[in-house]
Amino acid sequence: MWCIPPHQNAAFVAHMEDVLEVYSRPYNPKRPVVCMDEQPIELHYDSRESIGLSANNHTKKVDHEYVRNGTCCGFMFTEPLGCWRRVSILEHRRKSDWANQIKQLVDEDFADAEKIVLVCDNLNTHNISSLYETFEPEEARRIWERLELHHTPKHGSWLDMAEVELSVFSRECLNRRIGDVELLRQEAAAWCRDRNYRQKGIDWQFTVGEARIKLKHLYPVIKLKD
């Protein structure tokens, strides 16, 4: 269970209400609300060849032992109201990786948008400095001016709807052994195409009003002067 230190309550609720206000906005293709998150992914090979289905055997047999083949990182971008998502599988999760993913978001995924409203957690790579460390100043500023960035509060990454998509991705695509990055990229791309084709979105119900009731204990108590 997550726990907020008392002295951080005000900062938490301020950032939480900021994100929830973003989620309450109506769909606007010129100002799409996009959530992003990332997760490490372990690569596993089968240590022995699996036994496939046969006429008399309806269960595939897979040995419980496996061979580790390192890790990679999955970057998830999703536009819940637009029923869209993209997963990029990269070998690292450096500042430059995030910066290049943001450039793709701006120049390819939503090239026609006036401003992209981006929600992400407050990891130290998720800020403007990553752009300036990766691109020339003019390019970094151009990309940044296309964004309206909102960070989820510390201890509040559950407010990032990209975590919902990552959970589905883990259940539906990572529920088997995948041993190399290129194969994982192919599987991730196929998963995205299928969910985008079926127009799967996220029905987010948590609002500022509900937060002030259900999480009332996190709100600072204001003592009025006599």
Side-chain angles (χ1 to χ4, degrees):
M1 182 176 179
W2 52 277
C3 181
I4 314 297
H7 67 280
Q8 295 181 6
N9 281 6
F12 180 91
V13 298
H15 282 88
M16 175 183 65
E17 291 202 355
D18 176 62
V19 171
L20 293 178
E21 184 278 325
V22 169
Y23 290 165
S24 70
R25 299 176 187 178
Y27 176 65
N28 183 352
K30 290 298 183 181
R31 298 182 69 90
V33 175
V34 178
C35 302
M36 75 80 50
D37 199 5
E38 56 195 64
Q39 74 172 27
I41 301 172
E42 292 186 353
L43 300 172
H44 295 151
Y45 281 115
D46 287 326
S47 59
R48 297 177 180 82
E49 186 175 353
S50 302
I51 300 175
L53 303 179
S54 65
N56 300 321
N57 182 11
H58 301 288
T59 303
K60 182 179 180 180
K61 291 182 170 58
V62 179
D63 195 278
H64 71 279
E65 292 185 355
Y66 56 84
V67 178
R68 298 180 186 273
N69 192 34
T71 61
C72 58
C73 184
F75 285 78
M76 170 69 73
F77 290 85
T78 181
E79 183 195 8
L81 295 181
C83 301
W84 171 90
R85 75 277 300 143
R86 169 172 63 83
V87 178
S88 295
I89 306 299
L90 304 180
E91 296 182 3
H92 307 284
R93 51 184 298 178
R94 299 169 298 198
K95 286 187 174 183
S96 59
D97 296 311
W98 185 81
N100 281 296
Q101 288 296 303
I102 296 301
K103 178 177 172 60
Q104 181 176 342
L105 183 75
V106 165
D107 291 343
E108 299 179 31
D109 298 329
F110 296 94
D112 296 330
E114 296 173 355
K115 185 82 75 171
I116 300 168
V117 183
L118 182 63
V119 177
C120 59
D121 63 27
N122 55 12
L123 192 66
N124 63 344
T125 59
H126 299 166
N127 57 55
I128 191 173
S129 65
S130 295
L131 297 175
Y132 275 88
E133 290 181 27
T134 305
F135 305 112
E136 292 295 323
E138 295 81 3
E139 179 70 352
R141 175 54 58 178
R142 180 190 70 84
I143 296 171
W144 182 254
E145 289 181 347
R146 292 283 310 285
L147 300 175
E148 178 188 324
L149 186 62
H150 297 263
H151 284 123
T152 59
K154 187 176 182 181
H155 306 294
S157 61
W158 54 273
L159 288 161
D160 188 347
M161 279 196 269
E163 283 201 354
V164 177
E165 280 293 322
L166 279 175
S167 177
V168 178
F169 177 64
S170 297
R171 293 196 309 269
E172 295 183 352
C173 188
L174 303 181
N175 58 349
R176 58 196 183 282
R177 292 172 189 165
I178 301 177
D180 64 81
V181 171
E182 189 53 43
L183 177 58
L184 180 55
R185 286 178 179 146
Q186 296 173 17
E187 294 294 327
W191 178 83
C192 286
R193 284 194 300 270
D194 176 66
R195 278 184 70 79
N196 288 340
Y197 175 78
R198 292 187 289 125
Q199 288 288 282
K200 291 293 185 179
I202 298 174
D203 185 18
W204 185 267
Q205 298 291 325
F206 196 53
T207 65
V208 170
E210 290 183 329
R212 291 176 180 176
I213 296 172
K214 295 180 179 179
L215 301 180
K216 182 179 179 180
H217 63 285
L218 294 179
Y219 283 75
V221 177
I222 307 299
K223 296 182 179 179
L224 302 177
K225 295 182 179 180
D226 295 334

